[in-house]
Amino acid sequence: MAIGGADGTLRILETDTFTTMYEESAGESEITCLAWSPDGAYLVVCMSELPAVTCVVDGDGYSVRPFHESPLQLCMFGPGGRLALGLEDGSVLLSIEGDAESDELTDYGERLTSMAFSPSGALLALGYDDTGLFVFDLIGGDWTEVFHFSPWRVRSLLFGSRSCSMMRR
């Protein structure tokens, strides 16, 4: 289990006993999001004021390495190891597992508040502070839906197996 604090402290706990296995502080930069790689080999750590890093699991414990040159708001691994990175300016980058080199998906310009991959990994939903919800077809490479839920701002997103099929109808 990984815990990112508002004080910039990263803690990794052993889940059977909840014993701290690793702890490090990034100073005053709030940790905004964490994402384990599907194989559990590394953890992407997003911070509000510092560039993103990965915490790599190796034989002797953990080591921290630079990952992306910009502060990241959100990060999430989807099925198949696809990694979505949400920047503070609202743009979203997609990369293959563990690769900081990525393709820009959008530069919408509003504050990104949430992301969700569909269970199959074919869709990526993006929620924004201005009520916008965008759904991108990762297979076809095009936007499938764009919604605005005025006056409600999108705060969280989640696909379920049934909602994914209902969206396609």
Side-chain angles (χ1 to χ4, degrees):
M1 171 186 282
I3 303 168
D7 65 351
T9 301
L10 171 66
R11 289 179 184 84
I12 298 177
L13 307 179
E14 193 278 317
T15 55
D16 290 336
T17 63
F18 297 103
T19 306
T20 300
M21 299 171 57
Y22 176 85
E23 183 172 327
E24 185 163 332
S25 177
E28 298 296 316
S29 186
E30 178 181 3
I31 296 175
T32 59
C33 194
L34 301 169
W36 281 110
S37 63
D39 63 3
Y42 61 92
L43 175 69
V44 177
V45 181
C46 301
M47 293 174 280
S48 61
E49 298 172 15
L50 297 173
V53 297
T54 55
C55 186
V56 180
V57 180
D58 56 37
D60 299 325
Y62 299 89
S63 60
V64 176
R65 300 179 188 155
F67 180 69
H68 196 276
E69 68 275 1
S70 301
L72 299 173
Q73 190 73 19
L74 297 170
C75 57
M76 171 181 274
F77 282 97
R82 219 56 210 269
L83 176 61
L85 305 169
L87 280 69
E88 288 184 328
D89 67 0
S91 60
V92 175
L93 306 175
L94 284 174
S95 71
I96 303 303
E97 181 180 331
D99 186 2
E101 295 298 318
S102 48
D103 296 322
E104 186 167 348
L105 182 62
T106 180
D107 61 352
Y108 181 57
E110 294 294 328
R111 187 173 84 84
L112 181 68
T113 59
S114 53
M115 298 187 297
F117 281 97
S118 65
S120 68
L123 302 174
L124 176 64
L126 308 171
Y128 289 90
D129 200 36
D130 76 335
T131 75
L133 171 65
F134 296 81
V135 180
F136 191 77
D137 180 345
L138 296 168
I139 307 297
D142 199 8
W143 298 103
T144 60
E145 300 289 343
V146 178
F147 304 96
H148 284 275
F149 293 105
S150 187
W152 303 292
R153 296 178 179 164
V154 179
R155 288 292 178 250
S156 61
L157 295 168
L158 178 65
F159 277 98
S161 57
R162 188 162 174 191
S163 63
C164 185
S165 62
M166 286 172 37
M167 186 173 273
R168 291 289 193 182
R169 290 185 187 161

